[in-house]
Amino acid sequence: MNDRHLVDPDNGVISREIFVSDEVFDEELERIFARTWLFLGHESQIPTTGDFFNSRMGTESVLLTRDTDGEIHALLNSCRHRGMKVCRYDEGNTHDFVCPYHGWSYSTDGTLVATAGELFGVPHYRAGYGGNLDRSQWGLVPTAQLVNHHGLIFATWDPEAPPFDTYIGGFRHWLDNLAASTAGERGRVKVFRGVQKWRIRSNWKFVSENFLGDNYHGPTSHSSVDAVGIGPGGKHAATRHGDNKRPRSVASTSFPDLGHGGVTTAGYAWGYPSFAEPEIDAFFQRRWRQRLERLEAEGRPIGAFGPSTLFPSMSLHAGGFPRALIVAHPVGPTETEVWRWYLIDDDLPAEVESWLRHWYLRYSGPAGLVEQDDMENWDYATEASTGTIARRYPYNYQLGLHMATPSEDLDDAVESSYFMTEENARNYYRRWSSLMSSTSWAEIEERTGRR
Amino acid sequence: MTRLRVEVLRDRCAGYANCVDTAPDVFDLDEHDIAVVGAEDYPQDQRGVLERAVRRCPPKAIVVTDS
């Protein structure tokens, strides 16, 4: 499909078709979700051998498993015989996935099979198949590549996809902040169990676009929650983040060749919010000082701190408060299943953990006050864009057009000279268009000169 | 020394034949493709291979006990 006519980032105009069309959606599954690196879960969800977490990539169920050697695998949750889900639990512990339909059985036990997910038994193997079924060829389908990035697990179905480090580029700093504790220690976070999952009647890209640097919607969309005062600072704090030291204008960063984007630059962070409770406030101010000392000692940038999106569908609040991430799984052009994970330091005192849980849930998730504001916008924008007349008129992405400058910190990024900008969205759709209009990674890399 | 008693739960067995692959001297299949055990009991030195057959049985149809 040639989607160049639908997406025109240079002029800041994008057709509504890419948010509502069945044809575009089907093509996205093939050209984006089957090819890019996608987030599956955090290693703290499967800490011991035999643990599994039933995750998802695009529209498909994928089992994140830990085998007997402690290695992590991602396996398509669909029996090779008739496609039945071999596992219908959200999470658990087993090495055997026995299909409930005809009994084909798969194992992640390295003492029984050569590769995780291998077919290790079928009923009536001798009498029915004459012992001739080549079980080594009929295992659960594994992802082509998988990485554990400081505890965050990513995988891709495409063996030709660029290595993960190349794929994320300078966006690594936002991911690294998500994966580190509030004191900056790498890998010292864990997931609050469990993962919130719910469906919205919105195109999946609205979610990604909202978090990758849309500072524009905040003052309008979230003015009511700011008025109520739901933040850590309580009723008298300036905003829902409670951070009375957060500056009004923060630049954002995006990656024209990679599509990722986030608020703040790699070199700037605004610090942790002020909390209404003195002991919790003191706790996090101490962690902030520890973080600055650690990052400086290790030569890591202190910024890359704000809301952000890893192309295509993983969004995160990199610097915490709330330290959470959301994945927008496509269901159809106008329906999305969103999964939200909450991350906390693995050594928090119980009272701090409890305090954070309350604030996180007040903020995010299906009942979270800030998330509800966003969902209203995404749902109604999608609905009001499906009509015959509405589809004739494109969306406007001209905020901050031609106001981007090269990043001071990162060689593959640009920054906006004015803090309210749609530069990040334009670069996101530039990447989207590049993937949608090419048949191979080689073609994309030739175009962008990156590998 | 006690010997090992091996039992196949016939209503669970589905003819995977993994036990026959693992311990052909112990297990066989009958005319209904259900696993059968050759002897009343087995010596202790067969414990390793029998436990492996237990682990390789997807429907967990094999029970090994000290007789």
Side-chain angles (χ1 to χ4, degrees):
Chain A
M1 177 187 292
N2 180 5
D3 294 290
R4 299 240 145 205
H5 66 288
L6 298 176
V7 174
D8 183 2
D10 293 339
N11 293 304
V13 176
I14 294 177
S15 168
R16 298 185 190 215
E17 286 298 317
I18 75 163
F19 297 91
V20 297
S21 153
D22 288 317
E23 191 190 347
V24 171
F25 180 81
D26 290 345
E27 201 73 17
E28 286 179 329
L29 297 184
E30 186 69 45
R31 296 210 162 168
I32 292 178
F33 289 95
R35 301 204 300 195
T36 56
W37 284 92
L38 302 172
F39 177 77
L40 280 98
H42 189 266
E43 65 176 359
S44 66
Q45 296 178 273
I46 48 168
T48 58
T49 172
D51 285 350
F52 69 86
F53 170 64
N54 202 334
S55 189
R56 184 175 166 122
M57 294 172 73
T59 58
E60 297 174 89
S61 174
V62 176
L63 296 166
L64 196 61
T65 66
R66 196 182 281 273
D67 70 16
T68 39
D69 297 324
E71 295 294 315
I72 293 172
H73 305 274
L75 306 165
L76 188 66
N77 184 14
S78 180
C79 184
R80 294 290 302 279
H81 179 239
R82 282 297 176 281
M84 176 65 189
K85 281 188 177 181
V86 296
C87 177
R88 289 168 293 167
Y89 293 93
D90 290 338
E91 57 186 20
N93 184 283
T94 186
H95 285 296
D96 299 346
F97 295 99
V98 179
C99 179
Y101 196 173
H102 300 92
W104 280 34
S105 302
Y106 307 86
S107 179
T108 59
D109 184 341
T111 67
L112 299 180
V113 292
T115 58
E118 193 175 304
L119 181 65
F120 87 112
V122 297
H124 300 283
Y125 177 64
R126 290 282 175 95
Y129 292 95
N132 292 322
L133 177 69
D134 185 355
R135 289 175 292 190
S136 70
Q137 297 301 305
W138 293 94
L140 294 177
V141 178
T143 55
Q145 302 182 60
L146 182 144
V147 299
N148 181 345
H149 186 79
H150 305 307
L152 305 168
I153 315 294
F154 299 86
T156 173
W157 296 113
D158 194 340
E160 303 301 319
F164 184 70
D165 285 345
T166 306
Y167 182 85
I168 60 174
F171 190 76
R172 78 182 58 254
H173 301 301
W174 278 261
L175 289 177
D176 288 357
N177 274 327
L178 179 74
S181 75
T182 53
E185 283 183 277
R186 281 186 164 148
R188 294 298 305 275
V189 297
K190 64 177 184 181
V191 172
F192 259 141
R193 292 174 69 186
V195 177
Q196 287 180 316
K197 305 168 185 172
W198 73 102
R199 289 196 174 192
I200 56 178
R201 298 196 62 78
S202 161
N203 185 271
W204 64 273
K205 293 185 292 298
F206 271 112
V207 185
S208 298
E209 187 188 314
N210 188 84
F211 291 104
L212 63 64
D214 184 354
N215 288 331
Y216 197 33
H217 80 288
T220 304
S221 290
H222 301 306
S223 58
S224 59
V225 291
D226 281 347
V228 171
I230 68 152
K235 282 195 168 134
H236 305 294
T239 76
R240 61 202 172 277
H241 309 282
D243 31 65
N244 21 28
K245 36 184 177 319
R246 184 173 178 166
R248 202 179 69 83
S249 61
V250 178
S252 58
T253 306
S254 65
F255 300 82
D257 290 341
L258 302 176
H260 324 307
V263 177
T264 75
T265 60
Y268 176 76
W270 53 68
Y272 294 150
S274 298
F275 293 81
E277 293 79 355
E279 64 281 7
I280 291 179
D281 192 56
F283 179 85
F284 282 113
Q285 296 316 318
R286 194 163 59 244
R287 293 246 152 158
W288 176 252
R289 289 191 296 274
Q290 291 166 346
R291 177 182 185 271
L292 290 182
E293 285 166 18
R294 176 169 284 110
L295 267 49
E296 189 182 359
E298 296 177 8
R300 291 155 58 192
I302 64 157
F305 203 67
S308 51
T309 294
L310 178 76
F311 187 92
S313 56
M314 176 204 190
S315 298
L316 48 132
H317 283 81
F321 305 106
R323 181 186 300 270
L325 65 98
I326 189 168
V327 175
H329 298 295
V331 175
T334 59
E335 187 169 15
T336 299
E337 185 162 313
V338 284
W339 289 20
R340 197 173 257 299
W341 282 255
Y342 299 89
L343 297 172
I344 53 168
D345 297 0
D346 64 8
D347 63 346
L348 287 182
E351 65 273 17
V352 177
E353 190 171 315
S354 171
W355 195 99
L356 279 182
R357 187 175 69 249
H358 284 102
W359 182 53
Y360 281 10
L361 294 177
R362 200 156 70 229
Y363 191 100
S364 300
L369 295 173
V370 181
E371 199 110 278
Q372 288 184 58
D373 290 341
D374 291 325
M375 290 189 290
E376 287 275 299
N377 294 328
W378 307 333
D379 286 7
Y380 283 98
T382 298
E383 183 188 330
S385 295
T386 54
T388 305
I389 305 304
R391 286 166 81 152
R392 295 177 186 165
Y393 297 90
Y395 292 156
N396 182 299
Y397 286 83
Q398 294 172 341
L399 180 66
L401 193 62
H402 309 307
M403 293 165 72
T405 54
S407 163
E408 289 179 13
D409 312 306
L410 304 167
D411 59 11
D412 52 355
V414 296
E415 293 170 8
S416 57
S417 59
Y418 185 63
F419 79 107
M420 286 206 181
T421 181
E422 283 160 351
E423 183 67 17
N424 291 16
R426 286 189 290 274
N427 287 330
Y428 177 89
Y429 290 110
R430 196 167 270 128
R431 176 64 147 176
W432 182 94
S433 182
S434 173
L435 275 156
M436 291 288 279
S437 61
S438 54
T439 54
S440 71
W441 275 105
E443 191 183 334
I444 296 163
E445 282 148 10
E446 198 173 307
R447 210 177 284 164
T448 60
R450 290 180 69 89
R451 174 79 218 189
Chain B
M1 198 177 205
T2 60
R3 291 171 64 84
L4 298 170
R5 195 177 125 74
V6 183
E7 187 187 359
V8 171
L9 306 175
R10 290 186 60 85
D11 55 349
R12 283 200 185 186
C13 177
Y16 285 84
N18 283 0
C19 57
V20 186
D21 287 346
T22 307
D25 297 337
V26 176
F27 298 98
D28 200 358
L29 299 170
D30 68 12
E31 70 275 21
H32 304 294
D33 214 28
I34 302 295
V36 290
V37 182
E40 285 275 304
D41 50 34
Y42 290 86
Q44 288 287 344
D45 62 9
Q46 295 288 297
R47 184 181 287 276
V49 73
L50 288 170
E51 286 181 348
R52 189 168 169 77
V54 168
R55 288 177 51 230
R56 287 194 67 198
C57 178
K60 308 295 178 215
I62 301 167
V63 180
V64 177
T65 49
D66 286 291
S67 65

